[in-house]
Amino acid sequence: MTRWDEWEPYAAVLLAGGRSSRLDGIDKSGIELGGRTMLAWALDAVVDAMEVVVVGDPVHTERPVTFVREDPRFGGPVAALLTGVDALLTPRAYVGVVAVDMPFLRPRTLSRLREAAFGRDGAVLVGPDERRQLALVLSTARLAEVRPDHEGQHGMPLRKLLADLDLVEVPSEGDEHRDIDTWTDLKSL
């Protein structure tokens, strides 16, 4: 039996342009863990995506990607997500959305999210504390239906954008849900 994700290509948007205020403004995508940058780990997680857009400042990558920034800068995750989707060269039915500060995501994580999202509005990774994480797969058609205007995107909470979507919650395995928001988070790895 053929799984849908074997024939349904997807695109990915990596969110890498936040303020990192709890990390003293340091660019999270450049933080190294195990000799590799957070951006490199995030790119590995979406290795099977047909196209990748990174919403953040351009840096050298081993894989071809498109870099964009939301306008104005630091508009929040909704503005970044929608800017990334707008920058895709080829529309896809589903888009994977990953925060660059989640170094334990793997291709299998995105595969599980894609499988859960098929036929629905999307899927979201949920940690052991039942909190939704910034690792999702979303239907681009449904995303277009709930999309606010340009002005409304900036500063909009992600939960508000996703409120009317039928999202399947996918429990994390191992440390997939862990992110790095503070120096304590980084030191605990």
Side-chain angles (χ1 to χ4, degrees):
M1 181 174 191
T2 302
R3 292 184 354 205
W4 82 275
D5 62 324
E6 292 176 348
W7 53 265
E8 179 69 32
Y10 80 107
V13 173
L14 304 184
L15 306 179
R19 292 184 191 272
S20 301
S21 55
R22 292 184 282 173
L23 281 170
D24 303 320
I26 291 180
D27 177 14
K28 286 183 184 182
S29 65
I31 293 174
E32 289 194 12
L33 182 65
R36 304 183 71 229
T37 66
M38 294 290 215
L39 180 57
W41 286 112
L43 287 169
D44 282 354
V46 296
V47 69
D48 54 349
M50 298 299 290
E51 179 182 2
V52 178
V53 172
V54 178
V55 184
D57 293 327
V59 296
H60 172 75
T61 61
E62 298 296 320
R63 176 181 182 172
V65 301
T66 301
F67 284 94
V68 295
R69 284 304 308 224
E70 71 274 28
D71 183 26
R73 291 169 61 98
F74 307 121
V78 171
L81 163 60
L82 296 174
T83 298
V85 169
D86 289 347
L88 292 170
L89 299 175
T90 305
R92 302 284 176 194
Y94 288 90
V95 62
V97 182
V98 172
V100 76
D101 66 351
M102 297 182 71
F104 300 109
L105 294 177
R106 298 291 179 259
R108 173 74 184 124
T109 313
L110 272 290
S111 182
R112 288 188 356 261
L113 289 168
R114 291 169 58 213
E115 287 173 21
F118 187 64
R120 307 280 288 272
D121 295 342
V124 58
L125 189 71
V126 178
D129 59 359
E130 299 184 7
R131 282 186 343 159
R132 290 181 168 190
Q133 304 300 313
L134 239 171
L136 312 103
V137 170
L138 300 171
S139 160
T140 53
R142 281 293 288 138
L143 193 57
E145 290 173 10
V146 299
R147 180 187 185 119
D149 64 19
H150 183 76
E151 194 69 31
Q153 298 172 17
H154 295 271
M156 176 186 236
L158 187 61
R159 70 182 177 285
K160 183 175 179 183
L161 176 72
L162 304 177
D164 292 331
L165 298 184
D166 176 25
L167 299 181
V168 177
E169 293 187 343
V170 176
S172 68
E173 294 178 357
D175 286 335
E176 289 174 327
H177 66 282
R178 291 187 66 186
D179 60 4
I180 297 174
D181 286 327
T182 66
W183 291 113
T184 302
D185 295 339
L186 186 58
K187 289 176 185 174
S188 71
L189 298 178

